[in-house]
Amino acid sequence: MITLHGFAASNYYNLVKHVLLYKNLPFKEHLIYGGSDELLVISPAGKVPVITTTEGLNLSESSVICDFLEETYPTTALYPDEASERAVVRQIMKIAELYFELPSRRLIPYALSGTDAPESVKTEVRQVLKNRGINALSRLCKFSPWIAGEQFTMADIYVYYVNTIVNTFATSQLEWDVLAEVAGMKEWNNKMSQLTISQKVEADRLANMPEFIEKVTAQIKAANAR
C-alpha cells in the first residue's frame, strides 16, 4: 500500500491526495511536518509531500509523484493520449506553479503573522501575477468545461490546489480578486470545489489547520526571539 507523508494544511499534499483518491488507489496517511529529521530520511530536501510506494521507494516533489502515479496506474487517466495535448496540460501546470503559486507564497509569512506585507513586496507579486500568471493562463485555459478542454486532467487538480494559495494569501494581502482576472477561472474553481473528492480533502485540511497554525506561530516567535 502507498503511504502519503505530510500534513493536510499543505496544498501540494492535498494535490497528491486528490490524485490518489481520483484514481481510487489504496493508501494510508502519515502525519509529518517540515523541518524534522524524520522527514529528511525520506525527503532529500526535507519537503512534503512524500510518498512511499508499495515497493518501498520514497518519492518527493508533487509533480514527480503525480507523474509516477499516472505512469504506474494509467487506467484512470489524467493526461490526454496525444503527446501535444499532454504537453499543453503540463504547460498549464508549470505556469500556474511558477507565476501564480510561487509569487503568492511570498505573502504567507505576513499573513500568518498578522502583518501587512511591505508595498515593495506587494508590487513585485502583483507584477508577476499579472504579467506572467494571469496573461499566460488567460491564453492557455479553455474551461470547456475543464481547464484544458473536454477532458478532466491533472491540470484541473494541480491548478485547483495552486489556487488555494492564491485565494488565501494573494487575494487577502493584495485586496485583489486574482482568479477573477482569468475569464472563466472563478466559475471553474467553484465547480472543482463541489467535487466529492475536493470536499473530502477540504474537510481534512480544516481539521489540520489549528495544529498547523500553532506550529507555524511557534516557529515565527522562535525566529523573532533570536
Side-chain angles (χ1 to χ4, degrees):
M1 180 183 291
I2 295 169
T3 301
L4 174 60
H5 308 270
F7 54 94
S10 162
N11 63 316
Y12 283 118
Y13 177 91
N14 290 333
L15 188 164
V16 172
K17 184 174 178 178
H18 194 123
V19 172
L20 288 165
L21 290 168
Y22 183 83
K23 288 180 171 289
N24 200 28
L25 299 174
F27 70 98
K28 59 183 179 180
E29 297 181 70
H30 173 220
L31 178 62
I32 187 170
Y33 291 96
S36 68
D37 291 338
E38 181 186 7
L39 181 59
L40 285 171
V41 173
I42 57 175
S43 173
K47 294 168 58 181
V48 300
V50 184
I51 66 164
T52 302
T53 69
T54 54
E55 297 77 23
L57 174 67
N58 295 316
L59 288 174
S60 58
E61 300 299 335
S62 57
S63 59
V64 173
I65 296 170
C66 288
D67 281 347
F68 169 82
L69 294 174
E70 180 71 7
E71 291 170 8
T72 309
Y73 308 98
T75 304
T76 309
L78 279 168
Y79 282 104
D81 292 334
E82 294 293 326
S84 59
E85 294 178 4
R86 289 197 302 273
V88 170
V89 167
R90 290 191 171 98
Q91 186 177 207
I92 292 171
M93 292 162 58
K94 180 57 68 174
I95 286 173
E97 180 181 10
L98 292 179
Y99 307 123
F100 237 40
E101 202 261 1
L102 286 180
S104 300
R105 191 170 281 275
R106 291 186 62 189
L107 302 169
I108 292 178
Y110 304 103
L112 293 182
S113 62
T115 59
D116 201 31
E119 202 55 44
S120 59
V121 173
K122 290 183 179 182
T123 298
E124 290 174 8
V125 172
R126 281 194 195 96
Q127 288 176 343
V128 176
L129 287 172
K130 175 63 178 174
N131 296 338
R132 296 290 181 87
I134 290 168
N135 287 344
L137 291 174
S138 294
R139 296 184 182 103
L140 285 171
C141 297
K142 295 181 178 179
F143 308 115
S144 59
W146 302 110
I147 201 166
E150 295 182 2
Q151 181 181 347
F152 183 87
T153 67
M154 192 73 77
D156 288 284
I157 300 174
Y158 211 91
V159 178
Y160 177 67
Y161 289 101
V162 160
N163 283 353
T164 61
I165 298 297
V166 179
N167 265 333
T168 305
F169 301 105
T171 294
S172 60
Q173 281 280 317
L174 301 177
E175 298 181 343
W176 180 28
D177 191 347
V178 181
L179 299 194
E181 298 290 331
V182 181
M185 180 168 277
K186 283 200 75 170
E187 295 78 9
W188 163 84
N189 206 75
N190 289 336
K191 179 168 63 176
M192 284 291 299
S193 72
Q194 298 306 309
L195 299 178
T196 301
I197 293 175
S198 300
Q199 293 182 346
K200 155 67 175 167
V201 173
E202 175 65 4
D204 292 345
R205 184 189 74 84
L206 292 174
N208 179 237
M209 281 303 292
E211 180 177 292
F212 171 70
I213 293 296
E214 182 180 342
K215 285 187 173 294
V216 171
T217 302
Q219 289 174 349
I220 291 172
K221 287 182 178 178
N224 291 337
R226 292 173 186 169

